[in-house]
């Protein structure tokens, strides 16, 4: 398949009932040669255009490529409903995303003892723009970090941690972050708590 063939296939699939977003797409420069970066950037641009064409949210994967992700999103005029999944950036980077109208999603990484940067970022994100995810099968949260594989049931540990970090009850955090996800993905209101 060529890149255009792959994007055409994604476009056909994205038009199917039940599809709620384009993604995860974006840039991952971890262990990537320069030629691979160019191909990722081209594909990323195509996915952004597809999300806009279909009026679907965009779910971003950004690993060691934050400045380029932001530059491409600005260049292409990304949809306002854009979320950076498995966010691992700084509080300043999170604020930059929020200033662009984007959402930020956190995994069990925020619970890790050495995840000071992730915790500072989570504190910077208001709950109405925050989502919680597992990023299964990896990154099980503390205190079950050694459990492999990760699973959705373990997300409760991440929610508890984030609730305490933000001075909220788990119910408040769950309700507000679920409402954010319902709004973001355009789900029926009955999906919210």
């Amino acid at each position: 398949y060529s890149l255009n063939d792959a994007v055409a296939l994604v476009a056909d699939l994205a038009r199917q009932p039940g599809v709620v977003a384009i993604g995860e797409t974006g840039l991952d420069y971890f262990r990537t040669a320069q030629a691979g970066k160019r191909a990722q950037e081209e594909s990323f641009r195509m996915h952004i255009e597809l999300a806009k064409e279909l009026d679907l949210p965009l779910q971003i994967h950004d690993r060691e490529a934050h400045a380029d992700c932001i530059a491409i999103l600005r260049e292409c005029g990304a949809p306002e409903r854009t979320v950076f999944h498995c966010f691992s950036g700084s509080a300043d980077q999170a604020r930059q995303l929020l200033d662009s109208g984007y959402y930020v999603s956190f995994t069990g990484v925020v619970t890790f003892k050495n995840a000071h940067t992730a915790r500072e970022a989570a504190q910077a994100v208001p709950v109405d723009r925050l989502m919680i995810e597992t990023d299964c099968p990896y990154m099980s949260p503390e205190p079950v970090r050694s459990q492999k594989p990760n699973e959705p049931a373990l997300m409760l540990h991440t929610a508890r941690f984030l609730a305490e970090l933000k001075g909220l009850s788990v119910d408040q955090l769950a309700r507000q972050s679920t409402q954010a996800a319902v709004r973001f993905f355009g789900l029926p209101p009955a999906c919210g708590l």
Side-chain angles (χ1 to χ4, degrees):
Y1 284 100
S2 72
L3 180 58
N4 287 334
D5 290 337
V7 171
L9 177 61
V10 169
D12 288 343
L13 293 171
R15 289 181 175 89
Q16 299 302 311
V19 173
V20 296
I22 300 295
E24 79 188 61
T25 185
L27 304 174
D28 189 329
Y29 289 171
F30 184 69
R31 299 184 185 155
T32 301
Q34 191 60 40
K37 291 178 183 179
R38 285 191 296 275
Q40 286 184 46
E41 291 166 4
E42 184 179 348
S43 175
F44 186 28
R45 284 182 176 88
M46 290 178 172
H47 287 136
I48 293 167
E49 293 306 319
L50 180 61
K52 291 185 331 186
E53 176 186 328
L54 299 176
D55 192 29
L56 287 172
L58 195 60
Q59 184 172 347
I60 305 297
H61 173 93
D62 168 14
R63 186 169 182 191
E64 297 186 17
H66 190 75
D68 287 350
C69 272
I70 294 298
I72 290 171
L73 287 166
R74 286 184 177 152
E75 168 195 322
C76 294
E80 187 171 304
R81 289 188 304 155
T82 294
V83 62
F84 275 67
H85 110 99
C86 192
F87 187 73
S88 61
S90 68
D92 285 341
Q93 289 172 325
R95 283 189 280 275
Q96 181 183 33
L97 300 179
L98 296 167
D99 289 346
S100 295
Y102 305 151
Y103 290 67
V104 183
S105 184
F106 294 92
T107 65
V109 168
V110 76
T111 69
F112 295 178
K113 289 176 178 60
N114 63 348
H116 306 292
T117 301
R119 284 193 286 282
E120 290 171 359
Q123 287 176 313
V125 177
V127 182
D128 67 337
R129 301 271 287 290
L130 180 143
M131 290 188 237
I132 306 168
E133 61 176 298
T134 61
D135 201 31
C136 287
Y138 305 108
M139 296 181 266
S140 298
E142 293 290 353
V144 292
R145 186 172 176 185
S146 62
Q147 181 170 328
K148 305 290 186 227
N150 192 10
E151 61 185 55
L154 302 182
M155 201 165 55
L156 179 59
H157 297 288
T158 307
R160 284 182 181 143
F161 185 90
L162 285 167
E164 184 175 325
L165 186 71
K166 293 191 150 299
L168 300 170
S169 71
V170 175
D171 287 344
Q172 288 171 314
L173 181 87
R175 185 172 291 106
Q176 291 179 45
S177 63
T178 298
Q179 289 170 351
V182 166
R183 271 191 321 276
F184 179 84
F185 290 110
L187 302 173
C191 292
L193 296 175

